[in-house]
Amino acid sequence: MSLELLDIHKSFGQVRANDGVSLTIEAGTLHGLLGENGAGKSTLMKILSGFISADSGRIVLDGAPLRLSSPRDGIRAGIGMLHQDPLLFLPFSVLDNFLLGGGGGLRVDRDAGRRALEETAGRFGFAFDADAPARSLTVGERQQLEIVRLLWLGARVLILDEPTTGISATQRTTLFEVLRSLAAEGMIVAFVSHKLEEVEELCDRVTVMRKGRVVGESEMPAPAERLVEMMFGRVLAESEPTPPPFGEPVLEVGGVTLRERTLTTSELTLSVREGEIVGLAGLEGSGQRMLLRAAAGLLPPMSGRVRVRGRDLTGRGYREFLHAGIHYLPAGRLEEGLVRGLTVAEHVLLARGEMDFFIDGAAAREDARAAIADYAIVGAPESTAESLSGGNQQRLLLAMTPLDVRLLLMEHPTRGLDIESADWVWTRLLERRDTGTAIVFASADLDELLRYSDRIVVFFSGRALKVLEARETTGEELGHLIGGRELV
Amino acid sequence: MTAPSWLSRVATIVLPIALAFAVALVLLQLAGAPPFEALGLLWDGSVGSAAKMSDTLAAWVPLTLAAAGLVVTFAAGLWNIGVEGQIVAGAVAATWVAREVPGPAAVLIFAMLVAGVVGGALWALLAGLLKTRGGVNEIFGGLGLDFVASGLAIYLIIGPWKREGVASTSGTDLFRPEAWMPTVGVAQFPVIPIALTVVAVVLVYVLMRGTRFGLRLKAVGKNPRSAHLLGIPTERYTLAAFLLCGGLAGLAGAILVSGVFHKLVPSVSGGYGFLGILVVLLAGYRAAWIAPIAFFFAAIAVGSTQLSLRLDLDSSLGGVLQGVLVLFVILLGGWRARRTRRRTALMEPEGP
């Protein structure tokens, strides 16, 4: 038995999330799907589970083509999807959650269900209190319940999307054992992750995705540097002309610990001076975003101090950070940067802190035209933010960044942009750097990190593993550190 | 889009109205009433004479005021269900002034209107603070405050403000004549309230179309996260939207006690707030459309009383018509959105 995905295409607006993905998963092998966030893994898995429909392409299970237009079709075909956050109904009991989505008519046979739950759970050494509310389960236990439920529903294919997020080490070990035994029984098991070490530990075979395409496949074990290279692309060493000397410190982070959801960072210390560019490297969710948000005043630290241009702003509000000269450009351009439904002209107006009470429509259009010309935005003053392509949204966000900003904090400045747009964005950023603006940016693109940073801070699960002088490091070293290991 | 946008705008309003009338005709037929005669009565009973026109305008005023306020809260992304209670709060505050404040008509009526605005605004501020500080969704907070306001009015009517000798839910004593809103002509046209309403609608229109406040409010309503990151004080704007809407609703309440009932009655608002929500939905959240749509709603409400008098039908038919109308509008909107989504999905490029 095998599961084949043939030439899957899926676009969201301008973004090609899946661009001709073909993939075969054989029964009996634990198959890993590896790639950075945004590589298109989740989209592919959602297509496979019937959650969204592909624009084109075919899915063949055991020689028979599948038509999946809803999650129900996916379950009927025997495809079980374990979501990152198990979709339980928290106030319901464990048993009711188990029975939800099961077949049968109006009558729910709780006694038979209870026996089935105990029997299926027993196979894997899980034990549940059937009458406890699902709320009382840990994330790991919720996962176990979901796996048991999917198997009981007759899943022949089990897909796990980043299943180790938020579960304990013991639960992870148990989960991996269960997955191995399921694969050994001849099930098709796909393990989706951006964590290299987990794929190395668990999988027999791995497919690597990048930017919506399959970029390589390999039997495991495989050399880590090869996988890193596939994930992030070939790193070209290039030298740039020496930038102007650095000035006064703009950002001083001293012994700061941060907590968001399940991740708590160790003490982070970093000083950034005028005209300096610091890249934050690491797998997504290793603490880079938290540091950026702390520097922007959006995430108050649990301990330590944050100073901006010599002023201690620890615990102060975001607006005081703004006044001190910071500017934060988050990764979610339409979610946290722009406003859906408002036009380019309205955005340009909003970005200006001071404006008259009455809006001068003609002047606003003029300003918008100037911004459009200056930042080469493809769009009109009347275009809405969501009608712009990703690259043009980023250009608009840059146009909205005041010129007197002293510290630019950016997440993935060029994610989803074509090479031309990405180069253009960095040209503009370097212009600002030359006037003394400091830039701190997080990126998953090793090339970008090495090319533009003066220093690179490598994060690994909440720790600043190492600070590298960008000029003295290599892509290989960086790739290893991102995976959590020193190069020996 | 091929058709000009105003044309499709008109179509989205006219088509549901036609469909709603079709349903109403069928309902009338089923009820055994001659449908077209009933519609004729609806017309005569609402705009057929100067007196009826005056009645319709008296209903149009509070409905339009509430709807104008709701345009502001909707722009801020808020479902201000509490608008009904804000009308009542304005009415209570105006009644207090009418009972306690001496002075000639001009002073007294001005004071009542100001009190209405302040009462409604404070009641709305309560819902706003419950949302921004207490984390209570404005729908539930507003609904709760609606009941509290209505309870407060009833308590005052049968308690402290009860009529001499008898406590009755039919209302307080009539105000002294100085507190009655002056009218014009035999048909008693409420000229001052109409003028105030026109000013309010224009004000809201200008505020939302051409000011910094309106633009920032829209940004807060459409994406609070982005607005916050742009440095907009989102809480202040949310509360300002509540204050504005509550003020206009309170003004409507003051006009109702001063110009329509001349006393405080338990159901002083009579659903104008909720009806205002329907008006704004039908207007597509735009200030420019609320005046004509509110007039149409007011005409149906006033005209349908004729049906019960002349055809022995229940006057709730008017409500049914309004409800069906809004359902059709929302249905049509949803259907159009679905269609455009499907079309854009089809136009997307198929790979390289």
Side-chain angles (χ1 to χ4, degrees), chain A residues 71 73-74 93 116-117 139 200 307 312 336 380 424 472:
Chain A
D73 293 344
S93 71
L117 172 63
V139 176
E200 284 184 319
R307 297 167 71 85
D312 191 334
E336 298 183 283
W424 187 91
E472 291 160 15

Side-chain angles (χ1 to χ4, degrees), chain A residues 155-168:
Chain A
R156 294 182 288 164
V157 179
L158 194 62
I159 302 164
L160 301 102
D161 190 8
E162 308 278 0
T164 56
T165 317
I167 68 174
S168 70

Side-chain angles (χ1 to χ4, degrees), chain B residues 244-264:
Chain B
L244 261 169
C245 182
L248 290 176
L251 180 63
I255 290 172
L256 280 168
V257 290
S258 165
V260 177
F261 299 112
H262 310 304
K263 61 180 177 180
L264 184 64

Side-chain angles (χ1 to χ4, degrees), chain A residues 176-193:
Chain A
F176 282 13
E177 273 168 21
V178 168
L179 295 183
R180 280 195 198 97
S181 72
L182 284 174
E185 282 173 26
M187 253 186 99
I188 296 177
V189 183
F191 179 82
V192 182
S193 180

Side-chain angles (χ1 to χ4, degrees), chain A residues 9 11 13 16 19 55-56 293 298 318-319 322 330 334-340 346 349-350 353 355-359 400, chain B residues 206-207 209-213 215-216 218-220 222-223 225-233 236 345 348-352:
Chain A
H9 287 273
S11 301
R16 290 193 183 135
D19 195 2
D55 296 338
S56 66
R293 290 167 58 80
L298 291 164
Y318 168 67
R319 280 156 63 76
L322 273 188
L334 268 182
E335 292 75 32
E336 298 183 283
L338 304 173
V339 182
R340 233 177 256 270
E346 287 174 319
L349 264 174
L350 279 174
M355 54 171 162
D356 294 334
F357 185 74
F358 286 103
I359 293 169
M400 289 165 65
Chain B
V206 171
L207 198 64
R209 281 288 298 241
T211 68
R212 175 185 59 190
F213 176 85
L215 178 59
R216 288 189 173 172
K218 272 193 278 185
V220 172
K222 285 175 191 292
N223 190 340
R225 281 205 56 75
S226 289
H228 176 61
L229 288 178
L230 279 167
I232 299 171
R236 221 180 295 164
E348 263 166 22
E350 296 265 316

Side-chain angles (χ1 to χ4, degrees), chain A residues 424-436:
Chain A
W424 187 91
V425 163
W426 271 107
T427 311
R428 299 312 291 251
L429 291 176
L430 294 178
E431 279 171 24
R432 286 182 184 248
R433 187 271 312 267
D434 292 344
T435 66

Side-chain angles (χ1 to χ4, degrees), chain B residues 74-112:
Chain B
F74 271 119
L78 301 165
W79 281 82
N80 183 18
I81 304 294
V83 64
E84 190 77 8
Q86 289 146 26
I87 295 177
V88 175
V92 167
T95 303
W96 180 81
V97 169
R99 295 174 62 89
E100 304 294 333
V101 175
V107 175
L108 186 58
I109 287 179
F110 181 73
M112 284 173 73

